[in-house]
Structure formats: C-alpha cells, structure tokens
Amino acid sequence: MTADRSGTAHVYVDFGAIRIQSYLTRTPGLRGHRAASDSLARATAPEAIEKLVGHLADVNPEAGEADGVVSLCFTPAPGEDLEARVRRLQDRVFAHLRTELPGAEFHSVWGQGTYYLDAYDREIHPKTEAGDVRYDLPATAEFPLAVPCAMCHMDPAATWETVNEKSKRLCPDCSMRNVPRRRSAGDEHSPEGRLAGSLPVTHPAPEDFAALAALGRAESGRNHLATVSIDGNAFGEFFKALAQEGSDDPRMRNWKTNISRSLSAATRDALTEATLSLPLTDERDQVVVVPHVVGGDDVLVSLPADQAWAFTLAFLYEFGRSIRTATADILETLNGRRAGRPAGEPPLEAPTASAGIVFAHSGYPLNLLAESAGQRLREAKRAVRGKAASVQWLDITADGTEAPEHEPLLLSALRTPAGGPTPEATALSALASVHASHRARLTEAVRSDGEITAAVIAHRVGHLEAVQPFLSPFDQQKAPPPTGIGLGAALNIARWWPCA
C-alpha cells in the first residue's frame, strides 16, 4: 500500500518486542544469543509477515526495517468494526511470534491517519506512552516443583536435548536457541548474516566469545571484549516536526514515506562501513564484529576490545553523515517554515547517534554487559541532551561495575568533520604508544596522589610529552587541560585505543 494522497484514513498496527536486549542475552553462550537474534529477524521479516496476515493487512511500506518490529496497515471498509479486525490481526501475529520466540515479550498498538507519521504522532505514540497497548507475555510456570531449564535457569524445562554433546533439560525458548551454528551463519535475515553478506570477507565470526576476543592484537591480551550499544539522538523531535507540518506539499509526502527506510539504511550502512574500517577485518579476512540487535537506529554489538574505539567512532561518523544527507532537503524546508513564523521557532539540526561502550573479560555475562552498555549510552545522551553524537565508556576490569567518574566525550572531540583524527585523538594515540606498564603506573599515581605526582613520574621516565595534553597548566590548576580530557580519563581510554 502506498502513501495515500486523497486524505483517506488508514489503520496502522505496530508490534514490537519488549526489553529485547535482555531477552536476547538471557542465555550465557554466544550460540544462544545468535539463535535468538536470528529467529527474531526471521519471524519479523516482511515476507514471513505477508504470508501470515494474508488479506487482513499489508506490511507498512512507510516504516523502516527493524528486527523485532512489525508494522502493518490496511484501509478499512465503510462501517467496518476496526477493533475487531485489529484484534484478529493481533491474535494472528502474536500466535506466530510466540511460536517462534517462546520466551519473548511483545506488545501491539494501533492508530488511524492519512499516513503513518500522522497516525504515529496523534495516536500510536501517545497510546504507547500512556500504556494503552495490548501485551502478549510468555506463559508462567504453574507447577512450582518443575525442573528449571539447564541453559537459562529462568523457565521450566520442557524437553531433553543434546547441548555440546551432553543431554540437558531445556525450556521451549532455549530449545529454539539450540540450533547448529551454520544455520545462523548463513541466514540472510539475521543481523550477523546481513553484515557478513555486505563484507568482502571469506570467514564468518568465531564460534564463541573467547575466540572472538582472541582475534584482537597480541598486545591487547586477546581475552577482552567490548560491548557497544548505540541509539539515535533527537529522532523523536525530528519526526514530530515532520508529522506536524502540513501535508499539502508533495515533497513532504514523499519524505514522510521514505525517511524511516533511510534511517534503517543508514544504520546498516554505518555498521558495514565501521566494520570495514577496522584493519583487523582485512587482516583476518573475517567478520570481527558480532551484531546482536540491528534495527531502526538501535544497535548492540560485541567485538574484540582493542577494536571498539575505532568501530564506535567510525559508526557514529558514518551514521551522522548518512543522516545529514538524507535529511538535508527536509531540514531546509522545515527550518524555512519555522523561521517564517512569528514565534521564531529554533532551527532543527540533523539527528545523530550516541554510544555506550563497556570493556570486560570475554567470560563476563553478556546480559550484564548489555545492561551496563545501555546505562553508559543513557549517560552519553543525557550529557548532551541528545543534541550531538557522544560516547561514554566503562572498563569493568580496570574500574569495576560502578558508573564511571569521567564525563562522556563528544564525537567532535575525536573526529573532524571530514572523519579524520582530531588533535585530541592524535594525543591519545601518542599516549597509547607509551608502554602499558608505564601507563598502569601513571594510572595508579593519578588515583592515589593526583595528576601532579603522575606528571612528575612521567617526566622522570621520559613520557611527559605524551602526558602533557591531558594536564591542566601548572600555573592554572583549575583550568581544563588542552585537550579537554583529564589524564585519568585519557589513560583509561588509552588502555584499549591501539587500533583507533
């Protein structure tokens, strides 16, 4: 169904997985995460949904592609009972999703409008915010003495299956996850399969987290991973402004129809470009990034720890560049209208994305890493109020699990508008070139005695030049360092900066 130009109201019905990252990471091994991610992508793929709903609805062409999200639409007949038709549609889709993903949680909300953004702004989003949605939750255990699943330890076991050559009792959801690796590696619908298909490499990502960490460079220790959570900034404000503008402009209609797909394409393209930008990808001729969630402007990936800064900065840069290109004409028109009004509304900026990075040993549970990365992401977005690309990070091995003391960094502090390294990034590379044992000594000095003592030690061992950009001027101790990055934060970054 194409966007309507006659003013006819359509019905839009959205479905989404709730707490999707927690659901995907509920099992400890990479194999289970992959299988759940792949099943989610297959179950919500347009071709699967089209076959499922038949004549009841069409896949909404105005919505972008996002794993775990289904958007449907239909034009009601005169006098039709809309709630009854929506209910039948929800029953059918929920039954399908429950079969494919037994342990996941879903919700659905619907609204009417002449186009999707209109329905979303006036009905779907307000209903979602108010909790006026229909939920579909996994069945609860009614027998308290049921044997718990040997894989997730959350739901009752329902079947015996072979896991790593051992017979174990699994719940229905973990049974779904217990599939051969080759199934996910070759699935073009899965996040990992799509990424692999977009890269000129021969080998898929490793079988488990330990092997993924081992892909890092020798100096990294090859036993640490980074978990990176990424989300868009200011898209809600952008879509709201687009939806609230008049629909009399044909260009506006086309933009409303295509922008969600442009957003999804920008996310997937940025993932590909960021992975390609890693020298390790070419050196290994292998996929070195494992995506768990890729949809809309939401991304969660795992990769070797010493690749994380380079990947994250490249992703944020490429994503921002693509979005600026996709929204340039829209923003020019919107801002022209806003400027011409008596109230003088402030101009809109192109949306961006922010990231949270968590470094930890390869054996650290992914569910905890995903939760921590999400917290770091929220800190990064809050620091700039969603107005600019930013990054917050935490090194669990070095600093523990509590919230970091350092402030998030802007992407503009580490990458130029052309995508190259800034003077701050160059200074970090110089600091990272200092031997790890010396950096560890400086880190301890900063923590115990402060930056002046660390500077004295750096001068004594011949590394003051590398440390200087991160120190306040000696005669102005309350002034910020030249780079705007304190020495403690810089040393923390340098621990995993070699590839950046």
Side-chain angles (χ1 to χ4, degrees):
M1 184 175 74
T2 58
D4 191 278
R5 299 181 184 273
S6 64
T8 301
H10 304 295
V11 175
Y12 297 89
V13 189
D14 285 354
F15 300 81
I18 309 170
R19 293 181 285 275
I20 186 59
Q21 295 189 7
S22 297
Y23 167 68
L24 294 177
T25 60
R26 60 184 270 175
T27 53
L30 179 54
R31 178 183 181 186
H33 306 156
R34 279 172 161 147
S37 180
D38 300 344
S39 292
L40 182 69
R42 285 196 306 275
T44 56
E47 52 267 36
I49 298 300
E50 286 174 352
K51 182 177 180 180
L52 173 73
V53 300
H55 68 281
L56 281 178
D58 298 310
V59 172
N60 178 14
E62 299 175 62
E65 296 181 28
D67 297 338
V69 175
V70 172
S71 184
L72 303 174
C73 56
F74 64 86
T75 304
E80 182 178 11
D81 186 339
L82 296 185
E83 291 193 8
R85 183 167 176 178
V86 169
R87 188 86 183 179
R88 291 198 308 273
L89 192 61
Q90 290 174 328
D91 288 344
R92 188 173 297 186
V93 175
F94 278 149
H96 163 71
L97 295 176
R98 180 62 51 217
T99 300
E100 298 299 320
L101 301 129
E105 304 174 24
F106 303 98
H107 70 192
S108 177
V109 60
W110 66 285
Q112 291 180 270
T114 54
Y115 49 88
Y116 181 58
L117 280 180
D118 174 45
Y120 184 87
D121 181 59
R122 292 192 302 106
E123 296 191 25
I124 294 177
H125 182 66
K127 284 183 178 180
T128 303
E129 291 293 301
D132 184 14
V133 301
R134 181 181 172 187
Y135 292 97
D136 186 78
L137 305 177
T140 57
E142 298 181 357
F143 183 52
L145 299 181
V147 175
C149 173
M151 185 179 291
C152 69
H153 306 287
M154 296 176 63
D155 292 338
T159 182
W160 284 95
E161 292 200 26
T162 300
V163 181
N164 296 329
E165 300 181 353
K166 294 182 179 179
S167 184
K168 294 184 178 182
R169 290 183 175 182
L170 303 183
C171 68
D173 195 82
C174 287
S175 176
M176 172 272 294
R177 296 170 184 249
N178 188 33
V179 297
R181 167 76 177 100
R182 62 179 179 276
R183 173 174 163 181
S184 60
D187 190 342
E188 63 181 12
H189 295 304
S190 72
E192 193 173 344
R194 284 194 300 263
L195 176 59
S198 69
L199 299 173
V201 297
T202 304
H203 306 291
E207 295 287 323
D208 53 49
F209 284 129
L212 181 64
L215 294 180
R217 302 191 185 282
E219 57 267 29
S220 72
R222 292 178 171 167
N223 58 4
H224 274 64
L225 291 174
T227 304
V228 184
S229 182
I230 300 172
D231 188 45
N233 296 321
F235 277 97
E237 181 182 359
F238 172 78
F239 280 121
K240 185 176 182 64
L242 185 57
Q244 289 178 341
E245 292 297 331
S247 303
D248 54 334
D249 189 336
R251 295 175 302 165
M252 297 284 284
R253 287 185 174 275
N254 291 331
W255 289 333
K256 292 182 180 95
T257 301
N258 298 326
I259 191 60
S260 292
R261 282 177 286 182
S262 297
L263 169 60
S264 297
T267 301
R268 301 187 193 283
D269 290 347
L271 177 61
T272 297
E273 291 301 319
T275 305
L276 276 173
S277 73
L278 301 176
L280 193 64
T281 300
D282 184 58
E283 292 170 12
R284 297 280 186 177
D285 188 25
Q286 184 173 18
V287 181
V288 299
V289 176
V290 175
H292 307 294
V293 176
V294 181
D297 56 347
D298 187 20
V299 173
L300 178 71
V301 303
S302 296
L303 72 164
D306 68 340
Q307 309 295 298
W309 279 106
F311 170 86
T312 303
L313 299 181
F315 184 101
L316 296 182
Y317 174 79
E318 291 294 337
F319 182 84
R321 185 186 60 79
S322 294
I323 292 299
R324 285 194 302 273
T325 300
T327 60
D329 291 340
I330 303 175
L331 288 173
E332 182 179 0
T333 299
L334 288 177
N335 287 331
R337 293 186 177 190
R338 293 164 73 93
R341 291 172 182 154
E345 298 179 45
L348 294 170
E349 298 288 339
T352 58
S354 290
I357 312 174
V358 177
F359 301 93
H361 191 275
S362 61
Y364 203 89
L366 180 60
N367 63 321
L368 300 181
L369 292 174
E371 180 180 349
S372 181
Q375 292 172 345
R376 307 293 77 81
L377 171 61
R378 288 189 287 275
E379 292 162 4
K381 293 168 75 74
R382 186 164 56 245
V384 295
R385 298 182 180 180
K387 298 299 184 182
S390 55
V391 185
Q392 178 64 304
W393 73 99
L394 175 66
D395 188 335
I396 289 179
T397 301
D399 302 317
T401 59
E402 298 300 319
E405 296 181 359
H406 51 255
E407 294 295 320
L409 290 176
L410 293 176
L411 174 65
S412 59
L414 301 173
R415 286 291 181 266
T416 67
T422 61
E424 294 90 336
T426 301
L428 283 169
S429 295
L431 183 63
S433 68
V434 173
H435 195 277
S437 62
H438 292 315
R439 284 189 277 110
R441 186 180 177 189
L442 293 174
T443 298
E444 184 57 36
V446 171
R447 289 175 176 170
S448 60
D449 301 305
E451 291 186 352
I452 293 180
T453 299
V456 171
I457 295 173
H459 177 68
R460 187 183 306 153
V461 296
H463 296 307
L464 182 59
E465 185 177 353
V467 169
Q468 196 77 52
F470 309 103
L471 295 172
S472 298
F474 290 120
D475 58 344
Q476 303 176 51
Q477 284 300 296
K478 292 186 178 181
T483 58
I485 304 172
L487 181 57
L491 288 166
N492 193 276
I493 295 173
R495 178 170 154 83
W496 300 113
W497 186 261
C499 185

